[in-house]
Amino acid sequence: MDFSLINIGFGNMAAAGRVMAIISPESAPVKRMVQEARDHRVLIDATYGRKTRSVLIMDSGQIILSAIQPETISHRLVQRENSFGDELEEE
């Protein structure tokens, strides 16, 4: 089983294979989802006190807040998947 990590900012890493969605925190439904996760203690705040710019929803039900733009995180995720695919082709 492959286990790869993706940088979500400030030296924090998340399991790349467990990310279900990377979304913007601007809308009211996302804000409610974040508050519910906080109330149920499944929220991981990786912003280091900075403005939340992206919300990662994990397949385990946990929600991770990041101060990095969603586009940046998704680009890192796609790069990781592409580099992993290249390694498989070489074998």
Side-chain angles (χ1 to χ4, degrees):
M1 181 174 137
D2 177 51
F3 182 77
S4 61
L5 298 173
I6 185 160
N7 186 344
I8 59 169
F10 306 109
N12 297 303
M13 308 294 265
R18 302 199 71 167
V19 176
M20 291 181 56
I22 305 168
I23 56 178
S24 173
E26 305 297 319
S27 70
V30 175
K31 289 179 182 179
R32 280 193 301 271
M33 185 173 41
V34 168
Q35 185 58 47
E36 287 175 10
R38 182 174 280 122
D39 294 343
H40 289 95
R41 298 185 180 260
V42 292
L43 181 74
I44 300 169
D45 188 350
T47 61
Y48 279 73
R50 290 171 176 81
K51 180 180 177 185
T52 299
R53 294 201 173 128
S54 62
V55 177
L56 286 79
I57 301 173
M58 310 302 279
D59 65 354
S60 63
Q62 293 176 315
I63 294 179
I64 302 174
L65 304 180
S66 175
I68 305 296
Q69 292 287 347
E71 295 84 9
T72 304
I73 295 174
S74 66
H75 181 70
R76 292 174 183 175
L77 190 58
V78 169
Q79 276 185 323
R80 175 147 334 253
E81 288 175 1
N82 287 342
S83 66
F84 181 70
D86 292 342
E87 291 173 5
L88 288 178
E89 290 176 5
E90 291 176 2
E91 292 177 358

